[in-house]
Amino acid sequence: MQRAATMPLSEDAVLVARAKRHDAAAVTALVLRYQDRLYNVMCRMCRDPDDALDLTQSTFVKALQSLPRFEGRAGFYTWLFRIAMNLAISHRRRERRPTLSLSRMEGADAGPPQPRSALETDPARITERDEMHRRLERALAELDEEFRAAVVLKDVEELDYATIAEILDVPVGTVKSRIHRGRMLLRRALEVENRCRDAG
């Protein structure tokens, strides 16, 4: 089941209205409501916990500075995460890390994802699952910013396509394309890593 994009809009709207009147308690409530989700997403956008914390703090600072101009056309959550994604994408581009692209992964075969078993309690299986999680995080870290943002918002935040389109300020069709291509690149990257490990 997909997660709703926000808490009930009326609650955010009330808090935003109070925050615009410099109500410190309302500002604190907004920060507490979204800081954990925002930080988790920033961790997946930049991988470095310190950078993720800086980006989270910068997002709230910029949002609070811009709050008088917030007109409520989009929900507060959508507006906040649009600021966060813009900051994260700019941060990654400044770092100029190599990213995965379709052309770089051309030689890899994209088979269907393997089905996962239900609940695993075997320590060996748990270790294997943890290793897979680490490998997936590494592959995600190398995705192009556009693909990565779409995949994180869909598969981590579990947002619907329309909300992601609002956050990224692109059409829904573009969101679907980026998610599809991003997932394909992740799958191919993991397959390449598997082959390298088997060969070694």
Side-chain angles (χ1 to χ4, degrees):
M1 178 181 292
Q2 289 187 339
R3 180 190 298 174
T6 66
M7 299 287 286
L9 182 59
S10 59
E11 293 183 26
D12 277 355
V14 169
L15 288 173
V16 167
R18 287 171 49 196
K20 284 184 174 183
R21 296 194 297 270
H22 309 289
D23 184 326
V27 170
T28 300
L30 287 170
V31 171
L32 291 176
R33 176 169 291 182
Y34 292 115
Q35 66 180 358
D36 289 344
R37 286 175 69 179
L38 190 57
Y39 175 72
N40 288 336
V41 168
M42 291 300 98
C43 280
R44 286 166 174 83
M45 286 299 294
C46 67
R47 275 199 88 195
D48 185 292
D50 292 331
D51 287 347
L53 183 59
D54 287 344
L55 287 167
T56 300
Q57 292 173 341
S58 295
T59 297
F60 281 114
V61 168
K62 187 168 184 178
L64 293 174
Q65 289 173 342
S66 304
L67 199 58
R69 299 189 298 277
F70 175 61
E71 298 177 357
R73 293 191 192 122
F76 178 78
Y77 169 94
T78 302
W79 180 72
L80 180 69
F81 270 62
R82 182 182 298 165
I83 293 171
M85 283 298 171
N86 287 337
L87 289 174
I89 288 171
S90 295
H91 171 77
R92 279 177 56 83
R93 286 177 176 162
R94 283 195 303 272
E95 288 188 334
R96 296 181 180 175
R97 290 180 179 172
T99 56
L100 294 177
S101 66
L102 287 173
S103 59
R104 287 178 58 193
M105 304 303 298
E106 264 179 354
D109 297 323
Q114 294 299 312
R116 295 179 61 182
S117 58
L119 204 54
E120 296 286 357
T121 56
D122 179 35
R125 293 289 186 183
I126 293 172
T127 300
E128 182 181 344
R129 192 164 58 235
D130 289 345
E131 175 59 22
M132 172 59 76
H133 177 75
R134 286 190 290 271
R135 290 169 56 211
L136 185 59
E137 288 287 338
R138 287 195 298 268
L140 186 61
E142 296 198 5
L143 274 183
D144 179 84
E145 292 86 359
E146 293 177 344
F147 300 142
R148 188 174 192 192
V151 170
V152 166
L153 290 173
K154 182 63 176 173
D155 294 338
V156 177
E157 274 295 286
E158 300 180 346
L159 300 180
D160 59 65
Y161 293 118
T163 302
I164 298 171
E166 277 194 81
I167 290 172
L168 300 180
D169 197 22
V170 296
V172 169
T174 301
V175 168
K176 292 180 178 179
S177 174
R178 290 179 182 178
I179 291 169
H180 172 75
R181 294 176 71 187
R183 286 171 175 169
M184 182 167 61
L185 286 169
L186 287 174
R187 186 159 57 242
R188 290 181 178 182
L190 292 174
E191 289 169 355
V192 168
E193 184 176 340
N194 282 338
R195 287 201 292 270
C196 290
R197 289 175 54 170
D198 292 343

